[in-house]
Amino acid sequence: MQSAALSTMSRIARRSTPMLRQAIMTSPILLRTRYNQQMQRAFVSPSFVAMMPSAADIDKSVQNITDLFMVARDELEYAEEARGSVYYNDDKETARSAVQECLDTYDVLLKDCSQDQKLDIQRKIGLKIMELKSQLDALNAEELE
C-alpha cells in the first residue's frame, strides 16, 4: 500500500509544474493533500466521465447487435447442417463463439444505459437475444445426449 502511494505521489509530482513539484517533494502535508485529491478523483471520475449513450449511439449498437445476432444464427444453422460430419465440432465452436460475442455485446450495452434506455433496448431486441440463448442451450443439450 505504501509503495503504491509513493508511486502515485511521484506520478503527481512529475505531472505538476516545477514550482508545485518542488513543494510536493518537500512538503509532506501538501503531498498528502494532493495524493488524497488524486485518489478522490480516481474514485469519482468514472461516474462523471461515463455519460449515458445518446439515442444515435444506442441505435448503432442495436444495429450492431442485430448484425451479430444474424451471424450467430447462421453459425448455429451451419452447425446443425454439419451434424454427423467431420466439420461439426468446428462449426459448433464457431457458433458458440458467435453467440457469446452477441450476448456479451448486448450485456455491455445494457450496462452502460439508463433504466429507460434498457427497457427500450429490451423491447427492440430482447426476444432475439432470448431466442439465441435458447438455440445455444439446445445445441449444448444435444451435445450431452
Side-chain angles (χ1 to χ4, degrees), residues 8-58:
T8 302
M9 288 184 242
S10 64
R11 250 186 290 130
I12 294 169
R14 283 192 304 256
R15 292 180 186 163
S16 303
T17 62
M19 239 172 118
L20 185 58
R21 190 176 314 134
Q22 182 62 31
I24 288 173
M25 296 308 255
T26 57
S27 170
I29 294 171
L30 183 57
L31 184 59
R32 200 172 320 121
T33 303
R34 189 80 175 144
Y35 172 73
N36 290 338
Q37 289 172 351
Q38 182 72 17
M39 293 307 291
Q40 286 173 351
R41 262 189 249 121
F43 292 119
V44 173
S45 64
S47 63
F48 289 112
V49 173
M51 300 179 71
M52 297 298 162
S54 68
D57 292 337
I58 290 175

Side-chain angles (χ1 to χ4, degrees), residues 59-144:
D59 289 340
K60 286 179 187 176
S61 296
V62 166
Q63 183 59 45
N64 181 37
I65 292 170
T66 302
D67 293 342
L68 290 172
F69 167 77
M70 291 169 44
V71 169
R73 192 176 59 191
D74 288 343
E75 292 297 335
L76 285 166
E77 287 176 15
Y78 296 149
E80 286 296 321
E81 291 171 3
R83 184 180 304 281
S85 73
V86 295
Y87 303 110
Y88 177 65
N89 288 331
D90 290 337
D91 287 349
K92 185 173 54 175
E93 286 305 313
T94 303
R96 278 190 185 134
S97 65
V99 169
Q100 195 59 48
E101 182 181 2
C102 182
L103 296 177
D104 291 345
T105 305
Y106 178 72
D107 291 339
V108 167
L109 177 62
L110 288 182
K111 192 184 308 181
D112 293 340
C113 295
S114 68
Q115 190 63 29
D116 292 336
Q117 291 170 329
K118 283 181 188 180
L119 293 173
D120 187 45
I121 292 167
Q122 289 171 339
R123 185 177 42 64
K124 288 180 182 176
I125 56 174
L127 290 175
K128 289 181 181 180
I129 298 300
M130 289 175 53
E131 176 187 342
L132 203 57
K133 285 180 183 178
S134 66
Q135 287 177 350
L136 181 63
D137 290 342
L139 184 68
N140 290 333
E142 291 171 358
E143 181 181 293
L144 295 175

